[in-house]
Amino acid sequence: KSLPANWKPLFINANDLTNEGIVHTDKPFFSVQFHPEASGGPLDTAFLFDKFIGHVRKTSQPLVLQDGLSYQRKTYKKVLLVGSGGLSIGQAGEFDYSGSQCIKALKEEGIEVILINPNIATVQTSTEKNDATPGADRVYFLPIRPHVVMDIIHKEKPDGIIVSMGGQTALNVGVELWKTGQLQE
């Protein structure tokens, strides 16, 4: 709604509904707020370059995109965050920080956060809760191992699991649970 006249959204992020690109309705101007050359697939956004070349050559290049606001977003009420574990290379303080920020963001969205982290000396597991570090709703001080994570999943029944904020141990556990089919159950 804040775009000037003759401008409209070109890309809307399906995750958070933010505007990631704009296009002029009458002139050959468009812009994106991501790196199309680093697309997820080698040709995912190559059409943007084709459109640009078409504009330069004065060849009509229609651009039709799906309305980003029409995406169905899953609503999460409860999430299991696999924490940073012991402080060691590959899961040190930076993962404690990213996990703490993840908890904060989830809490701001009204999502219940269940945390597994065996390390009592982290910001993630702190019992001091405030606006800056709201803390998880429940913390399990247990080892980050596949069977332990699955026990918590069966007990808590979360809508989702986040392993990307906990360093290498959390990632390894997530990969193992996926490869063995346990997360698909």
Side-chain angles (χ1 to χ4, degrees):
K1 295 184 181 195
S2 62
L3 290 174
N6 299 325
W7 288 93
K8 65 180 186 176
L10 178 60
F11 289 99
I12 301 293
N13 183 310
N15 295 311
D16 60 11
L17 303 178
T18 56
N19 186 341
E20 292 190 350
I22 57 175
V23 62
H24 198 277
T25 57
D26 302 325
K27 298 183 179 175
F29 305 148
F30 68 94
S31 177
V32 295
Q33 236 180 289
F34 53 85
H35 298 280
E37 72 279 1
S39 60
L43 302 176
D44 285 357
T45 54
F47 67 92
L48 291 172
F49 293 103
D50 293 339
K51 183 165 181 58
F52 173 76
I53 296 296
H55 282 309
V56 170
R57 293 181 178 157
K58 300 196 183 315
T59 306
S60 175
Q61 296 288 319
L63 185 60
V64 179
L65 298 172
Q66 181 176 353
D67 178 9
L69 300 176
S70 68
Y71 290 117
Q72 295 293 322
R73 293 179 64 193
K74 183 171 180 178
T75 302
Y76 293 88
K77 294 184 189 311
K78 184 193 292 190
V79 172
L80 173 63
L81 174 62
V82 182
S84 57
L87 296 181
S88 61
I89 294 172
Q91 58 190 25
E94 64 272 15
F95 292 105
D96 181 35
Y97 178 77
S98 63
S100 319
Q101 294 303 301
C102 179
I103 292 169
K104 182 179 178 185
L106 292 168
K107 297 304 295 172
E108 286 174 0
E109 295 296 319
I111 297 171
E112 182 180 356
V113 180
I114 310 305
L115 172 67
I116 175 174
N117 189 335
N119 190 341
I120 62 170
T122 67
V123 175
Q124 289 178 22
T125 58
S126 173
T127 56
E128 294 180 24
K129 296 180 180 184
N130 56 48
D131 290 339
T133 55
D137 294 283
R138 272 182 304 294
V139 179
Y140 289 88
F141 291 104
L142 296 170
I144 298 174
R145 299 224 162 71
H147 72 280
V148 176
V149 171
M150 284 309 299
D151 286 347
I152 294 170
I153 289 173
H154 289 125
K155 179 180 179 184
E156 293 285 349
K157 299 181 180 8
D159 301 313
I161 177 173
I162 300 173
V163 297
S164 59
M165 301 290 161
Q168 199 59 54
T169 299
L171 289 171
N172 290 345
V173 166
V175 168
E176 184 174 337
L177 291 174
W178 181 262
K179 283 184 175 179
T180 59
Q182 294 178 74
L183 290 179
Q184 294 88 329
E185 295 174 2

